[in-house]
Each structure stands twice: as C-alpha cells, then as structure tokens.
Amino acid sequence: MDSFIYALVLVPALRELLPASGIKPDAASLGVYGSLLFSVFLVGWGCAFLWGPVADRFGRVRALTLAILCYSVFTFLGCMAANVWELGIFRLLAGFGTGGEFTGAAIFVAEELPEDLRVRAAGFLNSGYYAGTIIAALANYLIGAKYGWRVMFILGGVPALFIGIIRQFVDEPERWKKRVATLGHWKAFDSLRMLFAPEYFRRTCLNCLFLLISMVGLWAGSVYAPGAVTEVSTRMGYGAAAASRIASLATILLASGTIAGCLLMAPLAGRFGRRGALAVYFVLMAVAVAGGFGLAFYLPKIALGAFIACLLFVGIGGASFAVYLTWIPEQYRTECRGSALSLAMSVGRFVAAAATSLVGAGVAHYKTIGIPVAMTSVVFILGLFLLPLAIETRGKPLPE
C-alpha cells in the first residue's frame, strides 16, 4: 500500500510541489521529475541489501519490524513535504524500509512453513503486496480524490500500528535459531560475503539479473499505468476527477491480475519447474507491455478499453516476483538466505532506477508515455535466453 501511494498521487503532488521548487509544472517537467522520484525510491530499495545481513544475523522478525517502522514513518512524512526535494528524501528512506520488509517476510515464510505449503505460501505472500495496491487505489478513489494527495501519505503511516502485534505474536523460525546457535563467532556481513564464494557466485549473479529484468519491466509497466490511464482518459474527454477515479479502478484491475498470477505460481512451478514458471511470466509481460503501451495506448476511440484490458495481463505477468520468493531461498543455506534474497532484490534496483529515469527522459522526448514504456518489453526476451543457465530446485528441500 505504502509503496504504491506515490504512483497514485504523482500528478497532483508534483503540480503543487514543482512550483514551490521553482520549476514549471508542464508535461515535460512532470515526466522528468516523476521519473526522478521513482528512481529515488528504487535507489532506496537498492540500499536495502543491508537488511539481509541483519536478518541473517539478528533474526527475520527483528529485521521485519524495523523495516516496517522505517517505511511507515517516511511515507507518512511525505504529507509534510514543502518541495519536490523533501519528497525525494522521504521516498528514498521509504524505499529502504520497503526492501527490508520484503526480505524479512519472505525468508520468514520460507523457513517457518513445511515443505508442502512453502511454495503456495510464497504466492500468497506476494499477492499481499498487490492487495495493498488495491487498498491504496480504493483509498485514493474514496479519500485522495476528495481530500487531496497529502491525506494519502498520512494513511501511509498506518502499518506502523502493526509492529506491536508482530513483536508479541510472531517468533523467529526454529531453523534460524538452530543454525545461529552452531555458527559461533559469525558476523552479519559474513553472510553477504558467502554469496560470492565459488559455490554461489554464478547463481547470485543470475538471480540479480533475473530480478533486474522483472523490475525494469514491471516498474515501467505498472508504475506508469495510472498516469497512462489518466492521459488516455483525458484525451477521450473525461474531467480530472473522473480520470483520477478511472486510474484508480484500472489500478485495482492491474493488482487483481497480479494476485491471480501469484496464486497460479505454485501450480506453474510444480508443473514446469521454477525456470519454466518464470519463462511463462516473462513471455506474458513482453507481449502485454508491448501491446498495451505500444499499440492499445494509441488506438482511436477504443484506446481506454483496450489499454485497460492489456493492463490485466501486465498484472498477471507481474507475478514473476512470487517465483523468486520460492526459488531464491531454495538455492542458499540458512546463514546467507536473507542476504541472497535481499541482494538480488536490491542490486537490480540501481539499474532499474537508471532505466526508469531513461523512460522518463523518453516520455519528455516523445511527449507521450506509451512508446518509451513499450520499449522495456525487450528485457523479457533477454531473460528467456538467460533462464537455461540457472539452477532448477523443483522437488529439492530447503537447504539447512
């Protein structure tokens, strides 16, 4: 919910904050500074690889609660931003916390549940992210459109209220407790160094590349979706308030598609293996992003309906992240599992941040969202060629 609030309030927030920053709020500036702030969030998430060693050394639940506090506080502070630069700082630190939450939650689920439930649980866990986007979209539809973008950031502080519940009722996994007890004088960054030992080096590099591919395409496809729907709606004669509500409903459809894709992950991974499941999502994203932003976006008369229909399949393809929550923990031992997932989830975001900035520059150059975003579909084709090089873990137990 917190990570998607910004995408929903991007346009009204920048229209107010850009003049306060001495910048004219025209279409080009909205594209450039909107992409810049997306990139800042990704950089913050990229720095979240530091949460992995914390989770490996001090516990999954401890890392989880601190990360929730971090992103909740700095999302909330967005309501106080006086200019675009202050909002950028808050987004950077919110991104850092969001990345830590992903690591703590995913590794906890992988280690806590029995083998026969672990894969399905990863799909359920990842679907929760998109349930959060639906909550954000509903909040924007019912509250943000009426009371303004600052109220949406106030709502972003709500997750901090759950920290007490987690600390009281959620215990560290027994698997982690036993392993830590046998490691002796082990430092947090020892787990990070293990990822580049000969045993893990190749798979670590490939995992980072796969996550990079998913991030470039998904962030370009989904984060720009509300703005794209708003642009098409405006072009077809809808007013600002109506366009905002249509964008919110389209976001709910996009998120619903991803929830469905997450729930499909377990049968796909069981049938075709982890690599095969990821290949299905890559193909779907390549076709849906290219067809939606490159073709449907520009159709006369039926652009809005056709584009929103493509967003459903962009949503389903975006469930590729559920594969990683299953696959990456299966490739590493307990003492470096958190570091492996956080590094793969984080490193790609630095490049994805640069790619998102390039998309923003493309928007400014072409004076449209469609073509630059459609170009990102190429990265999924690259991913299909890399998949045969990766290790398959279907049917293997979680390493101790």
Side-chain angles (χ1 to χ4, degrees):
M1 182 190 75
D2 278 25
S3 65
F4 211 75
I5 283 175
Y6 173 72
L8 292 170
V9 302
L10 169 65
V11 174
L14 288 184
R15 281 176 178 164
E16 178 179 333
L17 294 179
L18 285 176
S21 308
I23 302 165
K24 184 179 179 181
D26 54 22
S29 295
L30 288 173
V32 170
Y33 285 93
S35 296
L36 178 62
L37 289 179
F38 280 133
S39 299
V40 164
F41 181 79
L42 289 175
V43 169
W45 197 324
C47 294
F49 74 90
L50 297 170
W51 290 102
V54 173
D56 284 332
R57 179 63 183 87
F58 300 105
R60 296 14 178 152
V61 178
R62 292 185 181 92
L64 178 63
T65 53
L66 289 174
I68 292 173
L69 180 63
C70 180
Y71 75 71
S72 298
V73 168
F74 288 105
T75 300
F76 171 83
L77 289 175
C79 75
M80 303 180 185
N83 54 58
V84 70
W85 313 117
E86 288 183 6
L87 184 59
I89 293 172
F90 297 146
R91 292 301 297 165
L92 176 73
L93 295 170
F96 178 65
T98 301
E101 197 276 346
F102 254 81
T103 298
I107 298 303
F108 175 82
V109 167
E111 293 180 343
E112 184 70 8
L113 293 181
E115 296 291 332
D116 60 334
L117 295 178
R118 180 164 45 79
V119 180
R120 277 184 290 165
F124 290 137
L125 174 65
N126 201 59
S127 71
Y129 181 89
Y130 300 95
T133 68
I134 292 176
I135 294 172
L138 286 172
N140 189 54
Y141 185 87
L142 297 172
I143 299 172
K146 182 176 182 180
Y147 296 104
W149 62 271
R150 293 185 186 272
V151 175
M152 290 295 293
F153 283 125
I154 291 174
L155 294 178
V158 171
L161 302 177
F162 293 96
I163 291 177
I165 297 173
I166 295 171
R167 291 299 299 162
Q168 183 173 356
F169 294 106
V170 183
D171 296 324
E172 298 289 352
E174 289 299 322
R175 182 191 298 264
W176 175 81
K177 291 180 182 178
K178 293 177 181 178
R179 188 59 178 164
V180 168
T182 64
L183 289 174
H185 299 291
W186 173 55
K187 298 180 178 64
F189 282 94
D190 290 342
S191 59
L192 195 60
R193 285 193 290 268
M194 286 182 64
L195 305 183
F196 299 98
E199 177 184 5
Y200 290 135
F201 181 78
R202 175 175 172 173
R203 68 186 69 175
T204 297
C205 293
L206 284 171
N207 288 333
C208 290
L209 284 172
F210 292 138
L211 262 299
L212 167 62
I213 289 166
S214 290
M215 288 168 194
V216 169
L218 181 64
W219 277 88
S222 64
V223 170
Y224 279 96
V229 172
T230 300
E231 182 176 328
V232 174
S233 300
T234 303
R235 189 200 314 157
M236 296 186 68
Y238 289 94
S244 176
R245 288 186 167 89
I246 293 172
S248 296
L249 294 174
T251 300
I252 292 173
L253 178 68
L254 180 83
S256 299
T258 307
I259 290 173
C262 289
L263 300 180
L264 287 171
M265 186 275 294
L268 285 174
R271 172 78 174 176
F272 303 112
R274 284 37 169 168
R275 294 181 300 185
L278 194 57
V280 171
Y281 292 121
F282 278 2
V283 170
L284 194 57
M285 282 294 286
V287 174
V289 170
F293 286 88
L295 177 61
F297 184 83
Y298 297 101
L299 292 174
K301 298 182 179 179
I302 62 170
L304 185 59
F307 182 75
I308 290 176
C310 288
L311 285 184
L312 174 63
F313 294 98
V314 171
I316 296 173
S320 61
F321 285 91
V323 178
Y324 302 125
L325 299 187
T326 291
W327 193 20
I328 293 178
E330 292 174 344
Q331 298 179 44
Y332 299 88
R333 293 191 299 275
T334 303
E335 63 266 31
C336 62
R337 188 171 290 125
S339 295
L341 184 61
S342 66
L343 183 71
M345 286 278 188
S346 299
V347 168
R349 295 184 190 275
F350 290 111
V351 183
T356 305
S357 295
L358 287 176
V359 171
V363 171
H365 175 75
Y366 288 102
K367 302 295 189 291
T368 178
I369 293 176
I371 292 174
V373 175
M375 291 178 179
T376 66
S377 63
V378 175
V379 299
F380 294 102
I381 307 301
L382 172 63
L384 292 173
F385 285 102
L386 291 175
L387 277 172
L389 302 177
I391 184 175
E392 179 57 65
T393 59
R394 177 177 56 173
K396 298 178 181 179
L398 199 67
E400 293 291 338

